[in-house]
Amino acid sequence: MTGISINGLGSGLDITSIINSLMQIESLPQQQLQQTQANDQSVISALQTLNGKASSLATLADNMAGPGALNLFTATSSSSAVTATAGTTATAGTFSVQINQAAQTQVDVTAAMASWPTDSTGAPSALTLVDSTGKQTQITPASTSLDDVVSAINAAGGPATAMKVAAGTDASGNTLYRLQLTATQSGAAGAFTAYQGTSADVTAGTATDLMSQPGAAVVTTAQDASATLYAGTAAQQTVTSSSNTFTNLLPGVDVTATAAAVGTTATITVASDNTGITKQASDLVSSVNDLLSNISDNTKVTTTINSTGGSTASGGLFTGDSTVRGVADSITDALYMPTSNGQSPSDLGISINQDGSFTFDQTKLTSALSADPAGTEASLQEIASRVSAAAKAASDPVTGSLTSLIQGDQSEVADLTTQISDWDTRLADRKATLTALYNAMDTTMGTLKSQQSWLTSQIAGLPTYSSSSSSSSSSSNG
């Protein structure tokens, strides 16, 4: 038995490597689940991006389909000193407006003083502001410091705010200041009167009008802007505004004049804003193309050639997904199908290409708007309404088809997460079992190795006999 040997069992085997290799095989089902989960998460991410595009498209189309959304106008003026804007309630046409005067905000400055005066008790005198409605705001400064007076006026929330303005020095070298009082509201409604004295003094007529003091002045009087429509005709009428903007001078038309416009007669021309309408149509087509392009990119089947010349085809994230295909079809139909009056979108500059994308022809739409403004706008809004409905059906937060698809995939990912977690437990148990098994086997082999060593030593100690000695012994006995 010399040379019989059992090597390494009990001490030489790399049990850790063996177990790790076995666990790699055992974990294959979990790895498949993890790969499926990763694929699902990629699909969810792509669907969420697509859903966002559908939601944006729905908002854009909904705004375009809204009442008056395409009732757009531009307003131009014959005078650079007069500007005009037109809203959706305007009507195309021309009118003239004569600017009589500009609006003004009242500004008063007090007489120069070193400090605020005191009353008969030696306390800082009260100050009362009276607005154009007769409302009184009494202000009591914390001290005779003009800074405190300014702070008190500005904190009172009355008809004017204040600031301190340097006014030189007096004969004694004292620094003098004026209080500048500025109305908080422009126009005649912002007029105010400033009195030294309490509200009671004002009511009694014993308060002092600060502007009546020597050196005080009303720098700018409160004044509304004034304009005349139809000047020189029997229909002549004057309109006023607290600011230099005459809001709704005509329905939907605002006119703003500068001081330089006083005495000027400006001609305002209101016309349909075809550029604004075509931009909305262009934006709608671009948004649809963006969504369809996203679907197309994620549906493409890619073919690759391997080293042996064979080919392998792989689909995109949306390949074979009937829900996504349905979204593309419904939005395409919404933009492509004729309107209820039989007008083709191509007549409005919206044409479909062979690859399913759309092209927008601004010149064609402009011509249609010029020929039939109301009919063209109605057709565009009908198309926008259809696109909005299709996009909402896909992206609605509760009932949207894409939303439901995302939620379904998210539920599957959650279920896979649970299965993967269960496999973690199962694999840990399996590893523990294998570790115990191989440790026991290692111990057993260690014991066998010890027995081998003992047997080897015993065999080595047995006596040996030569063949010549055996022959001689046999002859003698004969």
Side-chain angles (χ1 to χ4, degrees), residues 441-466:
M441 184 175 63
D442 186 55
T443 300
T444 300
M445 291 304 173
T447 301
L448 290 174
K449 181 178 179 181
S450 296
Q451 291 176 353
Q452 178 195 28
S453 299
W454 181 81
L455 287 173
T456 300
S457 65
Q458 292 300 312
I459 292 172
L462 290 175
T464 57
Y465 300 92
S466 63

mmCIF file of all heavy atoms in Angstrom, residues 441-466:
data_model
loop_
_atom_site.group_PDB
_atom_site.id
_atom_site.type_symbol
_atom_site.label_atom_id
_atom_site.label_comp_id
_atom_site.label_asym_id
_atom_site.label_seq_id
_atom_site.Cartn_x
_atom_site.Cartn_y
_atom_site.Cartn_z
ATOM 1 N N MET A 441 -17.988 17.484 5.636
ATOM 2 C CA MET A 441 -17.188 16.637 4.755
ATOM 3 C C MET A 441 -15.698 16.898 4.982
ATOM 4 O O MET A 441 -14.889 15.966 4.979
ATOM 5 C CB MET A 441 -17.568 16.917 3.300
ATOM 6 C CG MET A 441 -16.851 16.004 2.292
ATOM 7 S SD MET A 441 -17.447 16.267 0.611
ATOM 8 C CE MET A 441 -16.948 17.955 0.375
ATOM 9 N N ASP A 442 -15.359 18.184 5.183
ATOM 10 C CA ASP A 442 -13.966 18.525 5.423
ATOM 11 C C ASP A 442 -13.466 17.878 6.706
ATOM 12 O O ASP A 442 -12.344 17.371 6.775
ATOM 13 C CB ASP A 442 -13.826 20.045 5.507
ATOM 14 C CG ASP A 442 -12.388 20.484 5.613
ATOM 15 O OD1 ASP A 442 -11.584 20.108 4.734
ATOM 16 O OD2 ASP A 442 -12.073 21.211 6.571
ATOM 17 N N THR A 443 -14.342 17.902 7.734
ATOM 18 C CA THR A 443 -13.967 17.280 9.017
ATOM 19 C C THR A 443 -13.774 15.776 8.849
ATOM 20 O O THR A 443 -12.807 15.174 9.357
ATOM 21 C CB THR A 443 -15.051 17.559 10.072
ATOM 22 O OG1 THR A 443 -15.171 18.965 10.245
ATOM 23 C CG2 THR A 443 -14.704 16.904 11.394
ATOM 24 N N THR A 444 -14.724 15.156 8.105
ATOM 25 C CA THR A 444 -14.630 13.705 7.873
ATOM 26 C C THR A 444 -13.354 13.358 7.112
ATOM 27 O O THR A 444 -12.636 12.400 7.457
ATOM 28 C CB THR A 444 -15.852 13.221 7.087
ATOM 29 O OG1 THR A 444 -17.036 13.505 7.833
ATOM 30 C CG2 THR A 444 -15.767 11.730 6.807
ATOM 31 N N MET A 445 -13.036 14.121 6.092
ATOM 32 C CA MET A 445 -11.834 13.859 5.311
ATOM 33 C C MET A 445 -10.572 14.110 6.132
ATOM 34 O O MET A 445 -9.554 13.446 5.929
ATOM 35 C CB MET A 445 -11.831 14.731 4.050
ATOM 36 C CG MET A 445 -12.904 14.314 3.048
ATOM 37 S SD MET A 445 -12.737 12.570 2.586
ATOM 38 C CE MET A 445 -14.212 12.340 1.595
ATOM 39 N N GLY A 446 -10.690 15.052 7.057
ATOM 40 C CA GLY A 446 -9.549 15.259 7.941
ATOM 41 C C GLY A 446 -9.300 14.046 8.811
ATOM 42 O O GLY A 446 -8.154 13.655 9.066
ATOM 43 N N THR A 447 -10.426 13.457 9.263
ATOM 44 C CA THR A 447 -10.303 12.239 10.085
ATOM 45 C C THR A 447 -9.701 11.103 9.262
ATOM 46 O O THR A 447 -8.815 10.356 9.733
ATOM 47 C CB THR A 447 -11.682 11.840 10.631
ATOM 48 O OG1 THR A 447 -12.197 12.909 11.419
ATOM 49 C CG2 THR A 447 -11.585 10.573 11.477
ATOM 50 N N LEU A 448 -10.175 10.943 8.020
ATOM 51 C CA LEU A 448 -9.649 9.899 7.151
ATOM 52 C C LEU A 448 -8.160 10.105 6.870
ATOM 53 O O LEU A 448 -7.385 9.150 6.780
ATOM 54 C CB LEU A 448 -10.424 9.889 5.825
ATOM 55 C CG LEU A 448 -11.878 9.390 5.908
ATOM 56 C CD1 LEU A 448 -12.568 9.561 4.562
ATOM 57 C CD2 LEU A 448 -11.905 7.920 6.348
ATOM 58 N N LYS A 449 -7.793 11.367 6.763
ATOM 59 C CA LYS A 449 -6.380 11.646 6.506
ATOM 60 C C LYS A 449 -5.527 11.201 7.701
ATOM 61 O O LYS A 449 -4.433 10.641 7.538
ATOM 62 C CB LYS A 449 -6.196 13.129 6.246
ATOM 63 C CG LYS A 449 -4.762 13.513 5.937
ATOM 64 C CD LYS A 449 -4.649 14.991 5.645
ATOM 65 C CE LYS A 449 -3.203 15.371 5.360
ATOM 66 N NZ LYS A 449 -3.045 16.809 5.095
ATOM 67 N N SER A 450 -6.047 11.453 8.888
ATOM 68 C CA SER A 450 -5.311 11.019 10.091
ATOM 69 C C SER A 450 -5.216 9.510 10.129
ATOM 70 O O SER A 450 -4.161 8.936 10.476
ATOM 71 C CB SER A 450 -6.033 11.535 11.344
ATOM 72 O OG SER A 450 -6.028 12.943 11.374
ATOM 73 N N GLN A 451 -6.331 8.821 9.782
ATOM 74 C CA GLN A 451 -6.306 7.357 9.777
ATOM 75 C C GLN A 451 -5.323 6.852 8.723
ATOM 76 O O GLN A 451 -4.629 5.846 8.935
ATOM 77 C CB GLN A 451 -7.704 6.818 9.485
ATOM 78 C CG GLN A 451 -8.682 7.068 10.625
ATOM 79 C CD GLN A 451 -10.083 6.611 10.269
ATOM 80 O OE1 GLN A 451 -10.361 6.232 9.128
ATOM 81 N NE2 GLN A 451 -10.976 6.633 11.268
ATOM 82 N N GLN A 452 -5.263 7.531 7.600
ATOM 83 C CA GLN A 452 -4.328 7.145 6.545
ATOM 84 C C GLN A 452 -2.879 7.216 7.040
ATOM 85 O O GLN A 452 -2.069 6.321 6.805
ATOM 86 C CB GLN A 452 -4.515 8.041 5.322
ATOM 87 C CG GLN A 452 -3.546 7.729 4.192
ATOM 88 C CD GLN A 452 -3.498 8.843 3.164
ATOM 89 O OE1 GLN A 452 -3.740 9.986 3.524
ATOM 90 N NE2 GLN A 452 -3.178 8.499 1.931
ATOM 91 N N SER A 453 -2.629 8.330 7.725
ATOM 92 C CA SER A 453 -1.272 8.503 8.252
ATOM 93 C C SER A 453 -0.928 7.379 9.247
ATOM 94 O O SER A 453 0.190 6.852 9.260
ATOM 95 C CB SER A 453 -1.143 9.871 8.925
ATOM 96 O OG SER A 453 -1.375 10.907 8.009
ATOM 97 N N TRP A 454 -1.912 7.010 10.091
ATOM 98 C CA TRP A 454 -1.663 5.965 11.088
ATOM 99 C C TRP A 454 -1.447 4.625 10.404
ATOM 100 O O TRP A 454 -0.529 3.878 10.754
ATOM 101 C CB TRP A 454 -2.860 5.886 12.046
ATOM 102 C CG TRP A 454 -2.660 4.836 13.119
ATOM 103 C CD1 TRP A 454 -1.957 4.930 14.256
ATOM 104 C CD2 TRP A 454 -3.186 3.510 13.062
ATOM 105 N NE1 TRP A 454 -1.999 3.753 14.975
ATOM 106 C CE2 TRP A 454 -2.759 2.860 14.239
ATOM 107 C CE3 TRP A 454 -3.976 2.802 12.144
ATOM 108 C CZ2 TRP A 454 -3.107 1.537 14.538
ATOM 109 C CZ3 TRP A 454 -4.305 1.489 12.445
ATOM 110 C CH2 TRP A 454 -3.870 0.870 13.616
ATOM 111 N N LEU A 455 -2.316 4.293 9.423
ATOM 112 C CA LEU A 455 -2.176 3.030 8.723
ATOM 113 C C LEU A 455 -0.835 2.960 7.992
ATOM 114 O O LEU A 455 -0.184 1.914 7.959
ATOM 115 C CB LEU A 455 -3.312 2.859 7.713
ATOM 116 C CG LEU A 455 -4.694 2.549 8.322
ATOM 117 C CD1 LEU A 455 -5.751 2.581 7.233
ATOM 118 C CD2 LEU A 455 -4.669 1.165 9.000
ATOM 119 N N THR A 456 -0.451 4.080 7.411
ATOM 120 C CA THR A 456 0.827 4.105 6.689
ATOM 121 C C THR A 456 1.974 3.824 7.627
ATOM 122 O O THR A 456 2.908 3.061 7.317
ATOM 123 C CB THR A 456 1.025 5.469 6.017
ATOM 124 O OG1 THR A 456 -0.043 5.703 5.099
ATOM 125 C CG2 THR A 456 2.337 5.533 5.263
ATOM 126 N N SER A 457 1.909 4.418 8.814
ATOM 127 C CA SER A 457 2.998 4.190 9.783
ATOM 128 C C SER A 457 2.990 2.764 10.283
ATOM 129 O O SER A 457 4.045 2.161 10.531
ATOM 130 C CB SER A 457 2.870 5.178 10.950
ATOM 131 O OG SER A 457 1.679 4.937 11.686
ATOM 132 N N GLN A 458 1.787 2.155 10.454
ATOM 133 C CA GLN A 458 1.705 0.771 10.919
ATOM 134 C C GLN A 458 2.255 -0.198 9.884
ATOM 135 O O GLN A 458 2.976 -1.153 10.207
ATOM 136 C CB GLN A 458 0.240 0.424 11.250
ATOM 137 C CG GLN A 458 -0.306 1.153 12.464
ATOM 138 C CD GLN A 458 0.477 0.839 13.737
ATOM 139 O OE1 GLN A 458 0.748 -0.345 14.041
ATOM 140 N NE2 GLN A 458 0.875 1.876 14.451
ATOM 141 N N ILE A 459 1.896 0.030 8.654
ATOM 142 C CA ILE A 459 2.384 -0.840 7.573
ATOM 143 C C ILE A 459 3.892 -0.735 7.449
ATOM 144 O O ILE A 459 4.600 -1.742 7.232
ATOM 145 C CB ILE A 459 1.699 -0.456 6.243
ATOM 146 C CG1 ILE A 459 0.211 -0.804 6.309
ATOM 147 C CG2 ILE A 459 2.363 -1.136 5.063
ATOM 148 C CD1 ILE A 459 -0.583 -0.296 5.145
ATOM 149 N N ALA A 460 4.391 0.475 7.631
ATOM 150 C CA ALA A 460 5.831 0.658 7.519
ATOM 151 C C ALA A 460 6.581 -0.090 8.639
ATOM 152 O O ALA A 460 7.741 -0.462 8.499
ATOM 153 C CB ALA A 460 6.165 2.162 7.561
ATOM 154 N N GLY A 461 5.908 -0.361 9.798
ATOM 155 C CA GLY A 461 6.579 -1.023 10.929
ATOM 156 C C GLY A 461 6.502 -2.529 10.903
ATOM 157 O O GLY A 461 7.065 -3.197 11.779
ATOM 158 N N LEU A 462 5.807 -3.143 9.968
ATOM 159 C CA LEU A 462 5.699 -4.612 9.900
ATOM 160 C C LEU A 462 7.050 -5.210 9.466
ATOM 161 O O LEU A 462 7.773 -4.601 8.662
ATOM 162 C CB LEU A 462 4.620 -4.992 8.882
ATOM 163 C CG LEU A 462 3.163 -4.678 9.288
ATOM 164 C CD1 LEU A 462 2.221 -4.995 8.127
ATOM 165 C CD2 LEU A 462 2.779 -5.478 10.533
ATOM 166 N N PRO A 463 7.435 -6.448 9.999
ATOM 167 C CA PRO A 463 8.707 -7.091 9.617
ATOM 168 C C PRO A 463 8.654 -7.540 8.157
ATOM 169 O O PRO A 463 7.596 -7.880 7.643
ATOM 170 C CB PRO A 463 8.815 -8.299 10.545
ATOM 171 C CG PRO A 463 7.397 -8.567 10.946
ATOM 172 C CD PRO A 463 6.691 -7.256 10.998
ATOM 173 N N THR A 464 9.839 -7.642 7.564
ATOM 174 C CA THR A 464 9.913 -8.084 6.173
ATOM 175 C C THR A 464 10.760 -9.345 6.088
ATOM 176 O O THR A 464 11.643 -9.590 6.915
ATOM 177 C CB THR A 464 10.558 -6.993 5.303
ATOM 178 O OG1 THR A 464 11.858 -6.674 5.815
ATOM 179 C CG2 THR A 464 9.720 -5.712 5.329
ATOM 180 N N TYR A 465 10.543 -10.214 5.137
ATOM 181 C CA TYR A 465 11.273 -11.476 4.956
ATOM 182 C C TYR A 465 11.826 -11.550 3.550
ATOM 183 O O TYR A 465 11.111 -11.246 2.593
ATOM 184 C CB TYR A 465 10.341 -12.686 5.184
ATOM 185 C CG TYR A 465 9.749 -12.716 6.583
ATOM 186 C CD1 TYR A 465 8.520 -12.125 6.821
ATOM 187 C CD2 TYR A 465 10.435 -13.345 7.621
ATOM 188 C CE1 TYR A 465 7.965 -12.134 8.089
ATOM 189 C CE2 TYR A 465 9.871 -13.373 8.892
ATOM 190 C CZ TYR A 465 8.653 -12.794 9.152
ATOM 191 O OH TYR A 465 8.090 -12.823 10.385
ATOM 192 N N SER A 466 13.151 -12.098 3.492
ATOM 193 C CA SER A 466 13.751 -12.209 2.158
ATOM 194 C C SER A 466 13.377 -13.543 1.541
ATOM 195 O O SER A 466 13.125 -14.526 2.247
ATOM 196 C CB SER A 466 15.300 -12.111 2.229
ATOM 197 O OG SER A 466 15.811 -13.187 2.977
#
